[in-house]
Amino acid sequence: MRQNGKNKKRRSAMSSAPDPLRHFETWLAEASAGEPNDPNAMTLATASKAGRPSARMVLLKEADPRGFVFYTNLESRKSLELIENPRAALLFHWKSLRRQVRIEGAVVPVAPEEADAYFATRPALSRLGAWASDQSRPLPDRAVLEARLEAAKARFPDDAAIPRPGHWSGWRLVPDYYEFWQDMPFRLHRREVYTQSGTGWEISQLYP
């Protein structure tokens, strides 16, 4: 009986919504209520101009009809690849809910005022770290990073007035594809796909 109850819950979770963003928001809210750590964590997959792929975990900071936003150093590997090849894929995996969401689309920079507003909400040490770190580039010794952080503290002694570095901003993935994956018994998983069609979405299913 317990297994049947789980199955019923999983089936109801996959009910189609005409707007994939609303579907995603429902699942994210449920993950936020139950996941022990970082329900907004997502894998970001990028590729170089030559097609060499790379993936890493980042944090979703905003999701609205314009797209999915994350922030980073614009000179990092991920940003350099997005400049060369402005398409990417996201993957959310909520293990406790046995769910995944895959999202694909083009990537565009966020507006400077958006980046400024978000940067101002970060803790002071995180803002100073954005000045101290040459993200993704070789670090000869940890002491070098710590010295650069101390130099940033001396340069910006007022925590409330640490400006956003020009090399730090955000990217917005504009989705044209969603896949909602729900674990089911015996690997007969449910996979529901939204594919952009004009100004709307076509909904279909995939074999597990």
Side-chain angles (χ1 to χ4, degrees):
M1 294 296 291
R2 185 175 301 171
Q3 182 65 43
N4 289 341
K6 287 183 179 179
N7 292 349
K8 183 177 180 181
K9 182 177 180 181
R10 292 177 195 174
R11 282 195 295 271
S12 64
M14 288 296 292
S15 58
S16 297
D19 181 352
L21 179 60
R22 301 287 85 78
H23 195 159
F24 173 81
E25 288 174 337
T26 297
W27 277 24
L28 179 61
E30 293 178 9
S32 298
E35 284 291 313
N37 192 34
D38 293 334
N40 62 326
M42 58 187 183
T43 300
L44 167 68
T46 59
S48 68
K49 189 175 182 179
R52 183 185 179 98
S54 62
R56 74 289 288 161
M57 301 301 295
V58 298
L59 296 178
L60 174 69
K61 292 302 179 181
E62 184 178 356
D64 62 25
R66 297 175 299 164
F68 291 70
V69 173
F70 59 93
Y71 290 90
T72 187
N73 188 310
L74 296 180
E75 298 170 351
S76 64
R77 178 179 177 180
K78 69 177 81 66
S79 289
L80 295 178
E81 289 180 349
L82 289 172
I83 291 168
E84 286 187 343
N85 183 5
R87 289 192 62 84
L90 307 175
L91 171 64
F92 294 84
H93 177 217
W94 298 304
K95 187 173 182 179
S96 64
L97 295 177
R98 299 179 181 271
R99 294 176 183 169
Q100 298 181 70
V101 182
R102 297 168 60 186
I103 304 171
E104 301 171 11
V107 179
V108 297
V110 304
E113 55 270 23
E114 291 179 86
D116 288 341
Y118 172 69
F119 190 77
T121 70
R122 289 164 61 91
L125 281 177
S126 294
R127 284 177 278 143
L128 292 169
W131 283 95
S133 175
D134 289 335
Q135 193 177 97
S136 300
R137 279 153 287 180
L139 174 64
D141 186 272
R142 183 75 182 182
V144 174
L145 175 61
E146 293 171 354
R148 293 185 64 162
L149 182 60
E150 291 303 316
K153 289 180 182 178
R155 182 179 178 186
F156 305 111
D158 182 356
D159 288 352
I162 302 169
R164 176 177 65 88
H167 61 260
W168 191 98
S169 190
W171 294 96
R172 174 176 284 107
L173 185 142
V174 183
D176 56 28
Y177 177 93
Y178 290 77
E179 180 190 323
F180 294 84
W181 181 98
Q182 175 70 66
D183 176 83
M184 296 295 286
F186 309 111
R187 299 189 181 276
L188 298 175
H189 311 308
R190 296 192 58 151
R191 300 175 65 187
E192 189 170 65
V193 170
Y194 292 74
T195 306
Q196 190 170 41
S197 177
T199 58
W201 297 90
E202 291 185 358
I203 306 174
S204 59
Q205 295 191 37
L206 300 177
Y207 280 100

